[in-house]
Amino acid sequence: MPLEFGLWRVDGQPVRVATRPMSVESKLEDLIEADPEILGRPLLLIGRQVQTDHGKFIDLLGIDAEGGLHILELKRDRTPREVVAQLLDYGSWVQALSNEQVREIHGAYARKRGLAEELDEAFALRFGSSPPEALNSTHTLTVVASEVDAATERIVTYLASGYQVPLNVLFFRCFEDEGRVYLARTWLIDDAEVAVPSTGTKVRGKQEQWNGTDWYVSFGDESGGRSWEDALQYGFVSAGGGEWFSRTLRSLPVGARVFTHIPKVGYVGVGTVSGEPQPFTSTALTVGDEGRCMADLPLKGGYRPDSGPTQEGDTTDRREWIVPVEWEQAVPREKAYWRTGLFANQNSACKLRARFTIDEVSRHFGIG
């Protein structure tokens, strides 16, 4: 049975609000672009009339907070077979898009509309966080229509329910009441929050490429604990208090370039790892022209000198681990650099793939 719903004004006796012909369907693309919230799902639009390699054009392309892509195609005057076939064709193309290609599509769209050109910045403005490392790990297909005939309902339901094709219909109906026009929406399949993996490209193609050199380091500058003033003066980064905190920091190789970030403050330094990770009590740092035991230095912060088991049999390594760094550029905490879209992560250290962050922080600190 074709999908249908009504609207009543109930400020007195119930009065059914009249529907009006959806000449608006031709305008739906404009309305969705102007306010994607109309879709009822948080999306960032990254493209309109996106040309595929097959010479066709996707009406609207969006991305969700998990990095999945959403293909939105208006039914217009096409038959159910035509619009569904077109969406499946688009899905076969979209699933192979790499991280870089997704970014290029967004960049071209943003330049046309005068928006933030970098996906990282636009994503953070929309969702409040940096984009995930992998983009286009899943994709979904949506028919946008002003009416749904029985044939469309049968085809979509069959593919979505019987074969787990990530396909649904977003149905809009237009109402007019006392000179005002209203737009209502509903989904054909209520529980079709289904997305399939985009398997057309190897998983690593969904991530930004790593240059093999740059790492992100989160330095927890905290009252009574480690101090960025110490790290800035003596040249090191550190982490401790548990295996989860120190393990990633200990993976930093000699020669790695580290972009150092104080959580909720900003980036404070870029430098090169100059020595192997060592526990605090075993660390020697170069001060002037001589090596000095870190424990003998006049430090402002506090650092865990041993594992400090809390109970018998507890072998958790809570020591502070130190990694020596030669700073290329570094600034006091109050001069930290931050802008919307820069990468931030809870790990003490991880590979830095975010090109936007590398470029912006390098530019800010005058690093080539």
Side-chain angles (χ1 to χ4, degrees), residues 44 63-65 67 119-132:
L44 169 67
I63 190 169
D64 60 33
L119 178 62
D120 302 67
E121 184 175 7
F123 194 96
L125 289 170
R126 179 68 183 89
F127 300 114
S129 63
S130 300

Side-chain angles (χ1 to χ4, degrees), residues 95 239 309 335:
Q95 73 166 350
K335 293 185 178 180

Side-chain angles (χ1 to χ4, degrees), residues 64-77:
D64 60 33
E66 287 72 45
L69 295 188
H70 293 251
I71 306 163
L72 307 169
E73 186 68 9
L74 274 72
K75 183 175 180 292
R76 306 188 197 279
D77 296 323

Side-chain angles (χ1 to χ4, degrees), residues 46-47 50-54 56-63 67-73 86-99 101-102 105 135-142 166 196-201 205-206:
I46 63 171
V50 179
Q51 186 171 8
T52 72
D53 291 342
H54 315 302
K56 302 295 184 179
F57 293 85
I58 298 173
D59 285 339
L60 293 166
L61 186 63
I63 190 169
L69 295 188
H70 293 251
I71 306 163
L72 307 169
E73 186 68 9
Q86 192 70 77
L87 262 175
L88 295 175
D89 185 33
Y90 291 159
S92 71
W93 178 75
V94 163
Q95 73 166 350
L97 291 177
S98 66
N99 189 295
Q101 288 173 312
V102 172
I105 290 170
L135 300 181
N136 190 26
S137 55
T138 63
H139 68 274
T140 60
L141 313 171
T142 301
V196 297
S198 293
T199 56
T201 298
K206 306 299 182 182

Side-chain angles (χ1 to χ4, degrees), residues 1-327:
M1 172 182 286
L3 186 65
E4 182 57 84
F5 58 91
L7 185 68
W8 281 260
R9 175 159 47 88
V10 291
D11 49 357
Q13 290 295 318
V15 177
R16 181 159 187 166
V17 178
T19 59
R20 58 177 289 179
M22 181 61 95
S23 58
V24 176
E25 180 164 298
S26 61
K27 301 177 183 178
L28 272 176
E29 196 172 324
D30 292 331
L31 293 172
I32 294 170
E33 183 178 44
D35 184 8
E37 292 291 336
I38 288 175
L39 298 170
R41 293 177 176 175
L43 288 181
L44 169 67
L45 291 183
I46 63 171
R48 178 175 180 177
Q49 294 302 313
V50 179
Q51 186 171 8
T52 72
D53 291 342
H54 315 302
K56 302 295 184 179
F57 293 85
I58 298 173
D59 285 339
L60 293 166
L61 186 63
I63 190 169
D64 60 33
E66 287 72 45
L69 295 188
H70 293 251
I71 306 163
L72 307 169
E73 186 68 9
L74 274 72
K75 183 175 180 292
R76 306 188 197 279
D77 296 323
R78 289 173 290 183
T79 67
R81 179 178 297 179
E82 288 172 334
V83 70
V84 171
Q86 192 70 77
L87 262 175
L88 295 175
D89 185 33
Y90 291 159
S92 71
W93 178 75
V94 163
Q95 73 166 350
L97 291 177
S98 66
N99 189 295
E100 186 65 24
Q101 288 173 312
V102 172
R103 291 174 178 276
E104 288 173 356
I105 290 170
H106 170 266
Y109 175 71
R111 285 190 290 275
K112 286 181 181 178
R113 298 198 68 209
L115 304 173
E117 290 189 24
E118 292 290 345
L119 178 62
D120 302 67
E121 184 175 7
F123 194 96
L125 289 170
R126 179 68 183 89
F127 300 114
S129 63
S130 300
E133 286 192 353
L135 300 181
N136 190 26
S137 55
T138 63
H139 68 274
T140 60
L141 313 171
T142 301
V143 179
V144 180
S146 59
E147 59 182 13
V148 180
D149 53 86
T152 301
E153 184 176 350
R154 286 197 307 271
I155 292 171
V156 171
T157 302
Y158 174 71
L159 291 173
S161 301
Y163 290 91
Q164 285 71 56
V165 176
L167 178 63
N168 204 345
V169 177
L170 184 56
F171 171 58
F172 285 94
R173 179 51 58 91
C174 190
F175 297 88
E176 185 171 2
D177 182 40
E178 296 183 351
R180 294 190 175 185
V181 180
Y182 301 91
L183 198 62
R185 65 154 195 268
T186 190
W187 291 90
L188 176 63
I189 306 173
D190 288 339
D191 59 353
E193 296 281 352
V194 182
V196 297
S198 293
T199 56
T201 298
K202 292 181 180 179
V203 172
R204 63 175 176 269
K206 306 299 182 182
Q207 296 181 322
E208 284 195 90
Q209 300 232 352
W210 184 51
N211 59 21
T213 300
D214 292 337
W215 292 70
Y216 165 86
V217 169
S218 177
F219 189 91
D221 182 40
E222 29 187 61
S223 178
R226 67 187 63 87
S227 166
W228 172 244
E229 290 185 57
D230 293 336
L232 178 60
Q233 180 177 356
Y234 298 114
F236 69 89
V237 291
S238 70
E243 180 71 16
W244 189 89
F245 299 102
S246 63
R247 175 178 51 81
T248 54
L249 190 84
R250 300 200 308 268
S251 68
L252 288 172
V254 174
R257 186 167 70 158
V258 292
F259 287 70
T260 305
H261 172 258
I262 297 177
K264 299 182 180 180
V265 176
Y267 282 86
V268 288
V270 179
T272 302
V273 173
S274 57
E276 299 287 345
Q278 294 287 339
F280 173 77
T281 52
S282 305
T283 299
L285 298 174
T286 301
V287 181
D289 294 327
E290 63 175 332
R292 296 276 304 276
C293 179
M294 188 171 177
D296 295 336
L297 295 174
L299 302 172
K300 293 181 171 60
Y303 305 87
R304 295 176 182 269
D306 53 42
S307 60
T310 57
Q311 57 186 5
E312 186 177 354
D314 182 5
T315 59
T316 302
D317 185 352
R318 294 186 176 84
R319 293 175 295 178
E320 189 78 10
W321 283 79
I322 312 296
V323 176
V325 174
E326 291 182 4
W327 296 118

